[in-house]
Amino acid sequence: MEGKKTILLAGGLGFIGSHTAVALMEAGYETVIADDLSNSEESVAERIGQITGTKPKLYVCDVADREALRRVFREQEIFGVIHFAGCKAVGESVAQPLRYYRNNLDTTLSLLEVMAEFGCGRFVFSSSATVYGVSEDVPFTEEQATGGCTNPYGWTKYMIEQILRDAAAADPKLSVVLLRYFNPVGAHESGIIGEQPSGVPNNLMPYITQVAQGIRPVLHVFGDDYPTHDGTGVRDYIHVMDLARGHVAAMEHLNGASGSCEAFNLGTGKGYSVLDLVHTFQRVNGVEVPYEIAERRPGDLAVCYANAEKAQEILGWKAEKDIEDMCRDAWQFTQLRASSSSSS
Ligand code: UD1
């Protein structure tokens, strides 16, 4: 019988990586995580083990460090790599662009170089809908032009996509899937893993959960004069476990591919406004989320949602969970974390 295939998750202790580890293990893969703990906690590996019954092997290292990566590849037979290791705060990327370019590009280059040394050719990249820039041509399709990003974080995703296209064109043994995430939210159904931003959250859902918990007094809704049904910004929120399954589908697709580099949107194809999300969160969880209308946030689009047909046609993947599941699971995780940290 063929042994289990091992997937290396670079940056695998973060929000999306940890859920993807669970989805991969549930699909019969083994997982190995390399993470420098710069924006994650070691306990996440334990918690993945609590859900799946097997704790992934963890290498605490900088993914840009080729010698550290070589050790991983020497010790493990790596079937494919999923690259989540990167800085992701938009505002911070504007203040510290060199750090963002250095870190996000270096981790990618090191992974590609060490994979080539060890003859590993399956690569899935955590990209973002941000690569579509300020286009108003919604829903976004993969064929649409990319670029025109509004911040260095977005440009790192754009540049890494280009690096990967060039690398795959030059090396027939390298096959790449670029997964363009829309707005990942929610948490594993168990409430054991979820999104744990450090400091003041940048993104809407973690801000809502902190207001609901009373950590912050009020949610600022950035603009109510957009051309949308209620004037607030519309986004394609996707449950993180649906997103995680998208990575399993991408890895399965790569099994038969060679020398290709293909992009897929991972979204639901549906848009919800800021107030739709706030009202749904209040209703399904029976909690108050006080909000006030504030100025628009610079760089925000009015409307952003996916055309998700390509992933369905080619990867056989589509999002299953709805906005209520996302709100319920995000709140369950927040409450369980709050009670476990107060009892420990
Ligand atoms: C942002 C990034 C995107 C990144 C994604 C990660 C920008 C321009 N885009 O997307 O590159 O991949 O996060 O998930 O920053 N909102 C409020 N109040 C808040 C926070 C957000 O009203 O306190 C609104 C925003 O104006 C927006 C919506 O909520 O309409 C979603 O915002 P957010 O969660 O930050 O995601 P994006 O801006 O879509």
Side-chain angles (χ1 to χ4, degrees), residues 148-162:
C149 303
T150 54
N151 54 73
Y153 158 77
W155 282 117
T156 69
K157 296 292 180 191
Y158 173 88
M159 289 175 187
I160 294 168
E161 285 201 356
Q162 186 59 41

Side-chain angles (χ1 to χ4, degrees), residues 206-246:
Y207 210 103
I208 290 177
T209 57
Q210 293 199 1
V211 172
Q213 276 180 297
I215 295 176
R216 301 187 193 280
V218 65
L219 169 73
H220 301 281
V221 175
F222 298 143
D224 70 345
D225 56 354
Y226 286 107
T228 62
H229 64 276
D230 60 14
T232 67
V234 166
R235 295 290 181 275
D236 187 337
Y237 297 97
I238 173 167
H239 194 291
V240 64
M241 282 311 295
D242 277 335
L243 194 77
R245 287 190 304 99

Side-chain angles (χ1 to χ4, degrees), residues 88 90-91 127-130 150-151 153-154 157 181-185 195 201-207 219-223 226 232-235 237 274 296-302 304:
K88 60 172 189 180
V90 171
S127 191
S128 166
T130 200
T150 54
N151 54 73
Y153 158 77
K157 296 292 180 191
Y181 309 154
F182 281 68
N183 289 62
V185 296
E195 188 170 17
N202 298 294
N203 298 115
L204 179 59
M205 184 63 100
Y207 210 103
L219 169 73
H220 301 281
V221 175
F222 298 143
Y226 286 107
T232 67
V234 166
R235 295 290 181 275
Y237 297 97
V274 175
R296 288 184 179 194
R297 182 172 66 177
D300 272 353
L301 298 176
C304 171

Side-chain angles (χ1 to χ4, degrees), residues 6-7 11 27 39 51 53 57 68 91 106 117 129 131 188 196 198 231 235 260 263 290 306 319:
T6 302
I7 307 299
N39 194 22
I51 297 171
K57 166 92 182 146
D106 260 5
E117 285 172 28
V131 299
H188 188 262
Q196 291 178 272
S198 46
R235 295 290 181 275
S260 61

Side-chain angles (χ1 to χ4, degrees), residues 274-306:
V274 175
L275 291 182
D276 289 336
L277 194 67
V278 170
H279 293 143
T280 307
F281 190 95
Q282 298 189 127
R283 180 170 49 77
V284 303
N285 295 319
V287 288
E288 286 295 308
V289 180
Y291 65 84
E292 58 193 35
I293 305 300
E295 291 291 298
R296 288 184 179 194
R297 182 172 66 177
D300 272 353
L301 298 176
V303 180
C304 171
Y305 65 99

